[in-house]
Amino acid sequence: MGSYAVNERPDNITIERYLGRGHFSGEENVSVRCPFHKGGQETRPSFSINVTNGVWRCFTCGTAGPLHKLLHGLGLSRQQIDIELKDIKGELEANR
């Protein structure tokens, strides 16, 4: 099993696939509903993910961390996370 990169940068497709549609707040942060409390059904998005470095935080329940921790929390296996991060890296390199 590979180790996770410190600079895991999610793309918009990954964010939408796992967290639903969000909106940019500033140039680097996407706000969505937190998947970890209220069953993702909060009325105002409190969850922010930085698309530059993959760091995320919910300002209501306080959960936070790097992208691989988010994917693990959403129920992905280590193997699925490795595949997803590899796909993200490929997409980012292709769009340089």
Side-chain angles (χ1 to χ4, degrees):
M1 302 274 177
S3 62
Y4 296 119
V6 173
N7 190 18
E8 301 161 354
R9 297 171 33 193
D11 59 3
N12 291 340
I13 295 168
T14 302
I15 293 170
E16 203 168 298
R17 182 180 321 135
Y18 293 107
L19 300 173
R21 205 154 195 60
H23 68 275
F24 272 89
S25 53
E27 292 183 19
E28 298 179 339
N29 295 308
V30 175
S31 294
V32 295
R33 293 179 176 143
C34 179
F36 300 115
H37 72 272
K38 294 188 180 179
Q41 300 303 311
E42 60 189 348
T43 56
R44 295 180 96 98
S46 63
F47 188 92
S48 180
I49 185 165
N50 184 296
V51 296
T52 302
N53 62 20
V55 173
W56 54 273
R57 176 179 176 85
C58 175
F59 294 95
T60 300
C61 67
T63 58
L67 185 58
H68 72 269
K69 182 178 174 185
L70 171 61
L71 296 173
H72 178 75
L74 293 173
L76 275 70
S77 69
R78 175 78 185 237
Q79 183 179 13
Q80 290 170 310
I81 292 169
D82 288 343
I83 291 168
E84 191 64 48
L85 294 178
K86 183 179 176 184
D87 288 347
I88 290 168
K89 183 179 177 186
E91 284 292 319
L92 291 169
E93 289 175 357
N95 291 321
R96 279 189 181 174

